[in-house]
Amino acid sequence: MGEPGTKEVLRLEDLEVSGGGRTGRKHVLSILAENKPGVLARIAGLFARRGFNIDSLAVGPTEDPDISRITLTLDGAVHPIDQVTKQLHKLVNVIKIRDMEPDGTIAREMALFRVSASVESRAEIVQFAEIFRAKIVDVSRRALTIEVTGSNEKIDAFERMVRPHGLIEMARTGEVAITRSRPDS
């Protein structure tokens, strides 16, 4: 491997695992923040500075128009997420942060797919839409636009089914999530 005292050659796979690789623990953060300009940029910047890659980000108003809910998903990185959440709490405009447990969360995503639909393949694509409880929202001579709502896995599965037919364009919202109600409430 080299002369004594020289460093071993590292493989790329080893670097990816040790330097911020994926652990498989998906984090869904629900952040309530004041609905003001620049708040989202500061929150996203905090994650970027810490070396986290945001997988999806969805922002929208809550029942209170002065407060926005930011749903942020990221794959658990090797470095702990609790340090970032502590720093998020220090931001003036952040009201509440919750790292949601997958078992106690209802999460949905919406996606639009524009799929090439020749006369020969149109019936099969329509059948896929029915199986996935999707809606056909636009039709042209050469393409169908289909809306799919559901879990991340459902959207991925639908994409795998229609991609061989010719996926022209796809747009995904990213997950939005809310905690499940307790059985007694």
Side-chain angles (χ1 to χ4, degrees):
M1 190 58 38
E3 295 181 50
T6 60
K7 293 187 176 189
E8 287 185 26
V9 176
L10 294 175
R11 297 179 316 160
L12 181 60
E13 298 84 36
D14 296 336
L15 287 172
E16 289 174 350
V17 170
S18 65
R22 296 175 180 264
T23 63
R25 165 60 164 100
K26 177 182 171 183
H27 290 277
V28 178
L29 296 181
S30 176
I31 303 168
L32 293 177
E34 292 177 17
N35 191 5
K36 293 186 176 177
V39 173
L40 179 60
R42 286 195 296 280
I43 290 171
L46 189 60
F47 283 93
R49 285 191 302 277
R50 287 283 177 193
F52 285 91
N53 183 40
I54 297 171
D55 290 331
S56 75
L57 177 69
V59 183
T62 63
E63 61 283 355
D64 181 348
D66 295 331
I67 297 175
S68 292
R69 179 182 308 276
I70 301 166
T71 307
L72 198 136
T73 61
L74 33 91
D75 200 340
V78 173
H79 38 287
I81 197 165
D82 57 337
Q83 187 176 18
V84 177
T85 56
K86 286 177 186 174
Q87 289 186 334
L88 278 173
H89 278 293
K90 292 179 183 177
L91 293 178
V92 174
N93 304 108
V94 172
I95 299 165
K96 185 176 182 181
I97 303 163
R98 178 179 285 157
D99 188 357
M100 303 171 109
E101 289 296 323
D103 293 342
T105 304
I106 299 170
R108 295 290 183 266
E109 181 174 357
M110 195 272 288
L112 294 172
F113 295 89
R114 184 172 306 127
V115 182
S116 179
S118 63
V119 174
E120 301 83 29
S121 66
R122 191 171 292 246
E124 186 176 16
I125 296 168
V126 169
Q127 196 171 30
F128 289 148
E130 289 172 0
I131 291 168
F132 282 86
R133 294 186 181 144
K135 294 178 187 174
I136 297 173
V137 293
D138 189 44
V139 178
S140 72
R141 288 181 187 255
R142 297 189 179 120
L144 295 173
T145 302
I146 304 164
E147 173 188 320
V148 182
T149 304
S151 68
N152 194 11
E153 293 80 16
K154 178 181 177 180
I155 307 259
D156 290 342
F158 185 80
E159 179 187 351
R160 284 192 301 274
M161 297 303 288
V162 297
R163 189 171 281 281
H165 292 281
L167 183 58
I168 299 168
E169 188 176 7
M170 176 177 70
R172 294 176 73 157
T173 60
E175 283 186 321
V176 292
I178 195 165
T179 55
R180 290 188 182 277
S181 297
R182 292 188 184 126
D184 58 348
S185 57

